Amino acid sequence: MTYGVKLRVGGDFACFSRPELKVERVSYDVITPSAARGIIEAIHWKPAIRWIVRRIHVLKPIRFTSIRRNEVGQKASVPVIRRAMKAGTTAGLGLVADAHRQQRAASVLVDVDYVIEAEFAMTARAGPDDNPGKHLDSFNRRARKGQCFHRPCLGAREFDARFRLVEPDEPLPAAIPEDRSLGLMLYDIDHDGDRSSLFFRAEMRQGVIEVPHPDSPEVLR
Amino acid sequence: AHTPINDDPRQPIRIHAGNLPRIDQETQHGLVSDVSLKRKVRNYTELAKGSEPGFRIYVQESSVLNDRHREAYVALRPEDEKAKTAAKLNPKGDEEARALQAFMCGNFYDVRTFGAVMSTGINCGQVRGPVQLTFARSIDPIVPQEISITRMAATNEKEKAAREEGADEERHDNRTMGRKHIVPYGLYRAHGFVSAKLAERTGFSEADLDFLWETLEQMFEHDRSAARGEMTTRKLVVFRHDSALGKAHAHDLFDRVRVARRNGAGEAPRRFEDYEVTLDRADLPAGHAIYC
């Protein structure tokens, strides 16, 4: 038994980076199931439940823009931090922006608006007081009030997501009347397994993308 | 009204061009990127806090390296030791990752505020900071102007010689021409978020938060340069929820801050007084405080 929710999310910009184009980020045409799950989880999640995105409605035309920014091309290195901890000093631990500067362009989506339909299932970590009704209420209550655990974003944190609960009996807003084959798209990361990327063939029919169930053979491992 | 410059919606339009001010080419509104604002927060922190323990800046600008004198830190605090023993069920990698993250959050203000990506070697994952800044956008379309400037000197001898040779009767000097792009006036508005639940995880404290407000108000005061002209923070509106999860939709709160033009619509805005900023406090959900 699963329990469904509907959430409307949108924003000025969005970047659902394609994993194959990483240095200069290029967004997918639409939100990925994994990003949609992240938005839902930003509102309510507990280890007892697992969110599954079932359908994505695209409400606005797919448009791109390009943004170039100065970024740093390095991450905090574990061995260096470990050395600093041992030495008891933060000397030399910083990252020098000028020395590691990279100018990167990102092709991002502009003015996006989606309805995400998702459901959750109980996991093996559910305790005796984890009944599905409680989690469903929790999610709906928070989303209705605008509460969130952390601010959801549209692929990257600088692109904040506005969200609004679509009430269970509320009619869905119209999706764009467009069919488009979106090709092979990231489905999610296999966090329970080896953290490999999962893909699926995304088809948009009249603005609606049906997302396969994670256990279905349509999810490519 | 404006005409979008790209007819094909799939064709990317560009928000950058040389050193021109960033513009949303569809609407001609000016943009300031999130990373630009965060850089200013970091720079102000370095200026204001110096080498105060716990206020190091992880992503530094090299210019400040010289005047750094580093003092020693106690690498791990007693609390972290406790956290280590409590988390015995976790594999060694995770445990160490947590200690490393705690060390970074404890020492670096920007890591505890904005987060950082810590990987390579053992993947420590990411520290997700509580503070999230978005792109700032100008209230009205901006019209950048290109100003030609001259320098009364040549870059090098060769250039000087070449120029003297080519100089005719009208212009016999060794000036170098340059260009400057300016925005005559623009009032930009940025939205930000502070997630209390993430603050708990990184140790971002109430004092850190107060310091952030100070930073946002002061950051342009110490970022003067030839390129930037006179920038200043005009108004900082803080919505404070009395619940860690929030008490209202962020966009509803943002909508309460309205910026209207005071001078005529046909006139170009040239000063802050040409705008009227109002804050709608009507029917504010319970459990809210607004600081201006």
Side-chain angles (χ1 to χ4, degrees), chain A residues 61-66 107-111 180, chain B residues 2-15 23-28:
Chain A
I62 297 164
R63 293 185 302 137
F64 284 91
T65 192
S66 163
S107 293
V108 305
L109 294 166
V110 273
D111 193 17
R180 196 189 284 196
Chain B
H2 66 274
T3 321
I5 58 153
N6 67 327
D7 297 329
D8 178 3
R10 291 199 215 178
Q11 192 61 43
I13 53 167
R14 312 250 159 225
I15 306 190
I23 280 195
D24 177 337
Q25 303 238 319
E26 287 184 326
T27 64
Q28 304 296 312

Side-chain angles (χ1 to χ4, degrees), chain A residues 139-156:
Chain A
F139 179 87
N140 283 335
R141 194 176 54 240
R142 283 188 187 179
R144 199 174 285 133
K145 282 207 255 180
Q147 292 187 319
C148 52
F149 183 89
H150 61 86
R151 174 66 19 199
C153 66
L154 296 161

Side-chain angles (χ1 to χ4, degrees), chain A residues 11-74:
Chain A
D12 291 345
F13 297 105
C15 185
F16 310 108
S17 306
R18 289 175 178 271
E20 69 272 30
L21 301 167
K22 244 185 175 167
V23 176
E24 300 231 302
R25 285 181 281 272
V26 177
S27 176
Y28 278 117
D29 289 356
V30 298
I31 188 170
T32 60
S34 120
R37 177 182 57 79
I39 289 173
I40 301 260
E41 287 178 353
I43 296 167
H44 175 76
W45 176 80
K46 284 278 181 322
I49 59 169
R50 147 170 106 135
W51 284 104
I52 298 163
V53 175
R54 294 320 309 269
R55 205 168 286 120
I56 290 162
H57 302 249
V58 182
L59 308 183
K60 287 200 175 148
I62 297 164
R63 293 185 302 137
F64 284 91
T65 192
S66 163
I67 298 170
R68 188 179 291 276
R69 284 177 286 185
N70 287 337
E71 302 181 11
V72 287
Q74 278 209 346

Side-chain angles (χ1 to χ4, degrees), chain B residues 6-7 18 85 99 141 145 157 185 187 196 215 248 261 273 279:
Chain B
N6 67 327
D7 297 329
T85 45
Q145 288 176 8
E157 280 300 327
Y185 189 80
L187 181 62
T215 305
R261 281 284 290 284
E273 289 67 39
L279 178 59

Side-chain angles (χ1 to χ4, degrees), chain B residues 64-133:
Chain B
V64 298
L65 278 181
N66 306 329
D67 56 315
R68 275 258 171 279
H69 39 250
R70 329 248 181 203
E71 63 272 76
Y73 283 89
V74 184
L76 274 180
R77 292 160 195 188
E79 313 100 67
D80 295 332
E81 219 56 61
K82 239 184 279 161
K84 252 181 155 179
T85 45
K88 254 189 175 154
L89 289 171
N90 290 299
K92 208 183 165 193
D94 281 2
E95 204 177 296
E96 193 183 18
R98 215 166 325 175
L100 290 162
Q101 290 188 354
F103 177 82
M104 293 299 283
C105 288
N107 282 297
F108 294 96
Y109 179 75
D110 58 339
V111 174
R112 148 165 116 246
T113 305
F114 301 128
V117 178
M118 307 214 290
S119 41
T120 68
I122 306 167
N123 195 336
C124 287
Q126 300 185 358
V127 176
R128 197 163 39 171
V131 178
Q132 194 173 340
L133 295 178

Side-chain angles (χ1 to χ4, degrees), chain B residues 19-21 23 142-147 149 179-186 188 226-229 270:
Chain B
N19 259 339
L20 248 75
I23 280 195
I142 58 164
V143 184
Q145 288 176 8
E146 189 184 295
I147 312 280
I149 51 172
R179 262 172 307 193
K180 227 175 162 170
H181 299 283
I182 62 160
V183 178
Y185 189 80
Y188 290 70
R228 274 185 273 285
R270 283 293 180 268

Side-chain angles (χ1 to χ4, degrees), chain B residues 259-270:
Chain B
V259 186
R261 281 284 290 284
R262 220 190 285 239
N263 63 344
E267 279 174 70
R270 283 293 180 268

